[in-house]
Amino acid sequence: MGNLFWSDSLSRADYKYFDDVISCDSTYRTNAYRRPLVIFVGVNHHNRTSVFRFGLLVDETVETYSWILTTFLMAMQGKCPVSVVTDGDKAMRKAIKLVVPGSIHRLASWHLERNVQTNIGDSGFTRAFTKCMFTYMIEAEFDIQWFKVL
């Protein structure tokens, strides 16, 4: 089996209204076919998750991610998202730059927090880092808080 994608009419209608931010999440070979499953989701006006499409992929290369992003855009009438949130996969990052260069790539907060826990290992720093990430602040306020964290 090769690459496979799915998106229905309700998913495409949801994307028409809630296309500003999409999250691309991949579960690595945890399905029966041992293939990467990539899910494209957004959040609707009721703060509920909307699944726009998913793809069962052969691998996680720039070419494959470029294919899934290109077919995503075709299914969504060429409408690019404003921002794309991912886990930071290097191949996905390159594919985003190639296929949707006008979209802003962001790292998922869950992955940032996990990386801080793994690489820093200080629970106090992790709490302060998370607070900086999730608290609404203007730039000057953030700079002050970040300086305190450091």
Side-chain angles (χ1 to χ4, degrees):
M1 180 174 76
N3 294 324
L4 170 76
F5 75 91
W6 169 88
S7 181
D8 66 8
S9 59
L10 180 59
S11 298
R12 290 188 298 275
D14 281 349
Y15 183 76
K16 182 178 178 180
Y17 297 105
F18 311 114
D19 67 332
D20 50 343
V21 178
I22 64 167
S23 177
C24 304
D25 189 24
S26 61
T27 57
Y28 187 68
R29 304 184 194 283
T30 58
N31 51 64
Y33 301 105
R34 305 213 21 90
R35 303 268 188 218
L37 176 69
V38 178
I39 303 169
F40 290 80
V41 299
V43 178
N44 68 20
H45 59 292
H46 296 293
N47 208 26
R48 301 277 188 208
T49 300
S50 291
V51 177
F52 299 134
R53 77 169 306 148
F54 70 84
L56 193 59
L57 306 177
V58 171
D59 56 29
E60 293 180 293
T61 63
V62 174
E63 293 78 19
T64 302
Y65 281 137
S66 293
W67 173 83
I68 193 87
L69 286 168
T70 300
T71 55
F72 176 81
L73 290 178
M74 287 171 44
M76 303 305 172
Q77 288 82 41
K79 193 172 184 185
C80 292
V82 175
S83 294
V84 182
V85 179
T86 72
D87 63 0
D89 180 88
K90 290 178 184 175
M92 176 60 95
R93 192 176 322 150
K94 288 180 183 176
I96 290 167
K97 286 181 182 177
L98 288 170
V99 179
V100 286
S103 297
I104 300 166
H105 178 235
R106 301 282 186 220
L107 297 175
S109 59
W110 184 87
H111 293 285
L112 289 171
E113 188 173 0
R114 187 182 67 175
N115 286 340
V116 167
Q117 290 171 350
T118 301
N119 296 310
I120 304 291
D122 179 340
S123 60
F125 181 86
T126 301
R127 277 192 305 278
F129 178 83
T130 302
K131 183 179 177 184
C132 281
M133 239 187 345
F134 290 119
T135 303
Y136 176 79
M137 297 178 242
I138 62 171
E139 186 177 351
E141 292 171 321
F142 176 82
D143 289 343
I144 291 167
Q145 290 301 317
W146 185 243
F147 181 75
K148 288 179 184 178
V149 170
L150 298 178

